[in-house]
Amino acid sequence: MNIENIYGEDKWVAFGGFSPLITVFKSYHPLSPEIENIINTYTFPVRFGKNKHIASPLKQNRYIYLILEGAVHGYLKMGNKKITTWIVAENELAGTIRNLWENETSDEYIETIDPVFAIAIPHEMSKLLYENFPIANYVGRKMTEIYFQGATERAYICRLPTALKRYKRFLVSYPHLINRVPLKYVASFIGMRLETLSRIRKQTLTDVVK
């Protein structure tokens, strides 16, 4: 997707003079001034409206996004149906999983659920850091561990045999999302009809009150 830095040299003024991605990286390991300079140079803030695609098979995948405000979901198309495969919100990373850090096309879509303010992280920057700084590889490995833990949990939820068990597991694994995003995305993510999810939620609340 062809996006640009519309903020120019003032892009980090609202963030205390540096990219929020630096704070994320520093949570895993101290950074050298050179690494921080590269991150400040290559990354930039970007905004997307509600229900906008920030990646799709028709748009070349060039970025990962650090979500500062808003939520997005990844989905696959099965005919006219959208199958949500993951959902992320504030302080999480969003990117097409099937071609992570590559410029190739993917059959995966990323769509905003509500207006999004994010930091665009070019794949070329990630590769530059990995090729030249061992610290970047360490940080990348730690972040990849978190991704794989999330992927494992998503796979586990999908394999639970009943809708009720999938919903209860979702509440345990993603409590911050249940009242954060429209239920239609949650229903798709855990493999059930919206009507089924609404009925299960109603019954669960009734059981709590009793």
Side-chain angles (χ1 to χ4, degrees):
M1 182 177 182
N2 184 26
I3 62 174
E4 298 178 351
N5 169 30
I6 64 173
Y7 300 91
E9 295 182 358
D10 296 330
K11 61 182 178 178
W12 303 129
V13 170
F15 299 93
F18 59 90
S19 171
L21 186 64
I22 290 176
T23 302
V24 175
F25 275 29
K26 280 186 172 181
S27 69
Y28 298 101
H29 196 285
L31 304 179
S32 68
E34 188 174 4
I35 291 177
E36 292 190 20
N37 181 62
I38 290 173
I39 294 174
N40 280 329
T41 299
Y42 278 83
T43 63
F44 55 92
V46 61
R47 291 186 181 274
F48 299 101
K50 182 179 179 180
N51 298 328
K52 298 296 183 181
H53 285 108
I54 63 177
S56 79
L58 302 178
K59 298 176 180 179
Q60 190 179 43
N61 174 31
R62 295 175 54 199
Y63 303 94
I64 296 174
Y65 299 93
L66 172 62
I67 307 299
L68 302 180
E69 299 174 8
V72 306
H73 73 127
Y75 72 87
L76 300 174
K77 271 190 175 181
M78 301 294 176
N80 294 325
K81 190 175 182 180
K82 295 179 180 180
I83 308 296
T84 294
T85 54
W86 52 266
I87 307 169
V88 299
E90 288 84 2
N91 303 313
E92 297 181 288
L93 293 172
T96 51
I97 304 304
R98 292 168 178 256
N99 59 346
L100 194 62
W101 293 304
E102 299 295 335
N103 292 328
E104 300 172 359
T105 58
S106 168
D107 55 354
E108 191 173 20
Y109 295 77
I110 301 179
E111 183 181 41
T112 60
I113 294 174
D114 40 36
V116 164
F117 186 38
I119 302 301
I121 309 167
H123 294 328
E124 61 179 323
M125 185 205 77
S126 299
K127 291 180 178 179
L128 174 64
L129 292 178
Y130 290 152
E131 290 171 357
N132 293 279
F133 302 96
I135 290 175
N137 284 274
Y138 173 82
V139 171
R141 179 175 64 81
K142 299 300 290 185
M143 297 177 73
T144 301
E145 287 176 7
I146 294 173
Y147 158 72
F148 277 113
Q149 289 170 359
T152 299
E153 182 62 23
R154 292 193 297 271
Y156 177 77
I157 291 175
C158 291
R159 285 168 172 77
L160 292 174
T162 68
L164 179 59
K165 287 183 178 181
R166 293 195 295 275
Y167 173 67
K168 287 185 174 180
R169 185 68 184 193
F170 180 88
L171 291 180
V172 172
S173 303
Y174 304 97
H176 62 293
L177 292 179
I178 191 62
N179 295 315
R180 174 67 181 76
V181 300
L183 289 181
K184 66 178 181 178
Y185 298 109
V186 175
S188 178
F189 178 62
I190 57 180
M192 65 184 71
R193 297 173 58 194
L194 178 58
E195 294 80 3
T196 301
L197 176 58
S198 297
R199 184 176 67 253
I200 290 174
R201 278 170 55 83
K202 183 177 179 180
Q203 183 58 51
T204 302
L205 291 174
T206 300
D207 292 341
V208 170
V209 172
K210 289 180 180 179

